[in-house]
């Protein structure tokens, strides 16, 4: 082994030991602190709303015993799009969300955030 490779291995071992001993503090804190550093309050609020909405869609589908394929048939929204909506890998258009909601017998409610 060359010296650089051996040094990298030793550093990785030291980092792992440090992480095991100090936990999240070994990498500078926790995820919530990092989120607050990286994103504005507005971005965090929008993200929370998206996550909440997509979680409710998935929950409603599961409560009704519908597969994503069946929801595709009912809504006209392709199954891969539904999957990406549910796992949060895309931010769907409002029309797409409304189609899925309608197929689930749900609607989008707009209310006061202070009361939510």
């Amino acid at each position: 082994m060359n010296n650089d490779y051996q040094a990298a291995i030793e550093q990785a071992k030291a980092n792992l030991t440090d992480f095991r001993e100090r936990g999240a503090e070994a990498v500078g804190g926790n995820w919530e602190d990092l989120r607050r550093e990286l994103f504005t309050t507005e971005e965090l609020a929008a993200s929370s709303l998206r996550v909440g909405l997509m979680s409710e869609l998935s929950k409603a589908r599961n409560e009704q015993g519908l597969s994503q394929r069946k929801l595709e048939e009912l809504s006209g929204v392709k199954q891969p799009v539904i999957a990406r909506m549910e796992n949060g890998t895309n931010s769907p258009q409002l029309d797409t969300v409304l189609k899925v909601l309608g197929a689930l017998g749900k609607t989008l409610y707009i209310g006061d955030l202070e009361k939510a």
Side-chain angles (χ1 to χ4, degrees), residues 1-6 9:
M1 267 189 268
N2 71 32
N3 289 340
D4 289 339
Y5 183 72
Q6 186 62 38
I9 290 173

Side-chain angles (χ1 to χ4, degrees), residues 3-20:
N3 289 340
D4 289 339
Y5 183 72
Q6 186 62 38
I9 290 173
E10 294 305 317
Q11 184 61 53
K13 287 179 182 177
N15 291 346
L16 183 58
T17 299
D18 188 39
F19 181 75
R20 285 182 177 145

